[in-house]
Amino acid sequence: MTAASAPGKVILFGEHAVVSGAPALGTAIDLRARVLVEDLPGKTEISIHGLGLRLSGFSVDSDGRVVSLGSSDEAAAAARYVSAVVKALDVRDVRITVSSEIPVASGLGSSAAIVVATLAALSHHMGIDMEVKSIAAEAHRIEKTVQGGLGSPMDTALAAYGGYIQISDGVTPLDLPQMDLVVGCTSVPHDTRAEVARVQELRSRYPEIVDPIFKAMGVISRKAVPCIKDLDLKELGRLMNINHGLLEAIGVGTRELSELVYAARGAGMALGAKLTGAGGGGCMIALPKEGMCSRAITAITQARGRAFVVRTGCNGVTVED
Ligand code: MEV
């Protein structure tokens, strides 16, 4: 039996701009996806648990395709990622059990964490010791295949390496201190692929407008690094507010997201707040003032969000026998 786990993530700065090559900054959070692999002679089975979603008994055919889907779309989507890993590693005769604390379809990196943890657990079970670098690269390839197209390596790199990562020309892990952030989730699921496609379409229609916005987002991502290093949270909050405005400008904000952003900023509870990830739904993050975490959570909850505290800079993928 082998178990592996990998963290979810939040993008701090530069989402969408990163797809067009501008720098982005993200961090691994203390919510994890766990994958257990056991021998199961004659069969390959995938079970998905988590977040009140419970669906067992997926079967996978010899091409690694899921052949029996259950009633939950979220569990079915997770099983699709797992079966893509099964296919890539050409593994059979195993039971794979996935449980995840990471809310799905919220921009918190649930699918990347599942892919990375599955790759680590399955390869270890097969006696192959994949380096973290190879896990990150293979997970990115698999995630892109399942999502059918565009996508930066941000989520899979964070699930594999943990900590903080800057993506620009390549993947650069950064050594930065941990912080507490408040995450607020709207109940609107988002579709990363659709949001990325919409933004890229806007860019091809108005390159002279969208490219400078992406460039400004990239500058913010770089400016944020010394702010986190020195824990200059006031400046960091300002950068979050500017980045949120730019994300609104490219059309990925929603009324629900902005209500949570303004609720968190209201009465000075947060130093800054912005949507995180692809937008169009999903989650926002707020940087609470010292001692204001629970008041920020109350404000987001009163604005009909689901709010919780996350710690940034958490460990990447881990394997246990
Ligand atoms: C999604 O979490 C972040 C985006 O920048 C897409 C990507 O980086 O692949 C919107």
Side-chain angles (χ1 to χ4, degrees):
M1 183 154 67
T2 310
S5 72
K9 66 95 204 347
V10 291
I11 297 193
L12 296 170
F13 299 100
E15 47 273 268
H16 286 288
V18 67
V19 177
S20 297
L25 180 66
T27 183
I29 56 174
D30 55 347
L31 294 175
R32 297 185 81 82
R34 295 189 171 78
V35 173
L36 190 74
V37 177
E38 300 160 279
D39 288 321
L40 185 67
K43 271 200 207 166
T44 302
E45 260 184 31
I46 301 169
S47 303
I48 311 286
H49 307 269
L51 297 167
L53 305 167
R54 176 171 266 269
L55 191 62
S56 301
F58 282 100
S59 295
V60 178
D61 68 14
S62 55
D63 287 332
R65 273 194 293 269
V66 176
V67 291
S68 63
L69 295 179
S71 53
S72 151
D73 288 350
E74 289 88 352
R80 235 169 263 129
Y81 286 99
V82 175
S83 71
V85 181
V86 167
K87 189 175 173 190
L89 294 180
D90 193 22
V91 60
R92 52 201 75 193
D93 301 335
V94 285
R95 172 181 290 123
I96 302 164
T97 308
V98 178
S99 53
S100 179
E101 306 162 345
I102 310 165
V104 291
S106 336
L108 299 180
S110 146
S111 60
I114 289 173
V115 171
V116 164
T118 307
L119 262 174
L122 273 178
S123 57
H124 193 77
H125 195 76
M126 292 161 76
I128 310 166
D129 262 318
M130 284 177 85
E131 284 182 17
V132 176
K133 196 173 170 187
S134 319
I135 292 178
E138 182 62 7
H140 180 223
R141 193 192 62 75
I142 292 171
E143 204 190 33
K144 252 174 112 161
T145 312
V146 178
Q147 289 173 358
L150 293 164
S152 76
M154 177 66 95
D155 293 16
T156 39
L158 282 167
Y161 295 103
Y164 288 81
I165 292 210
Q166 184 155 62
I167 306 270
S168 45
D169 296 337
V171 171
T172 312
L174 299 174
D175 187 15
L176 295 171
Q178 292 189 299
M179 303 180 293
D180 283 336
L181 293 177
V182 174
V183 174
C185 295
T186 64
S187 49
V188 185
H190 78 169
D191 177 347
T192 300
R193 194 171 148 186
E195 294 302 322
V196 169
R198 261 182 346 110
V199 170
Q200 289 296 320
E201 198 183 301
L202 191 74
R203 182 188 181 220
S204 49
R205 190 180 293 257
Y206 304 112
E208 66 284 31
I209 299 174
V210 175
D211 283 341
I213 294 176
F214 282 175
K215 198 165 167 214
M217 288 175 172
V219 173
I220 292 173
S221 302
R222 288 204 194 284
K223 276 193 179 295
V225 174
C227 295
I228 299 174
K229 194 165 192 169
D230 302 338
L231 289 175
D232 182 351
L233 302 185
K234 226 169 157 178
E235 182 70 10
L236 192 67
R238 257 184 236 128
L239 294 175
M240 287 171 78
N241 293 344
I242 299 172
N243 198 157
H244 182 73
L246 296 174
L247 286 162
E248 291 267 25
I250 57 168
V252 297
T254 64
R255 181 172 58 81
E256 289 86 353
L257 278 167
S258 280
E259 275 173 8
L260 304 191
V261 163
Y262 285 106
R265 285 186 203 161
M269 281 171 292
L271 295 163
K274 65 180 278 291
L275 72 84
T276 182
C283 298
M284 48 71 72
I285 48 174
L287 180 64
K289 270 191 180 162
E290 175 132 28
M292 288 285 190
C293 260
S294 57
R295 288 186 57 189
I297 287 178
T298 306
I300 292 171
T301 310
Q302 280 169 352
R304 295 189 305 277
R306 264 190 312 138
F308 46 90
V309 179
V310 294
R311 191 104 182 109
T312 61
C314 293
N315 287 339
V317 64
T318 56
V319 178
E320 299 146 31
D321 275 318

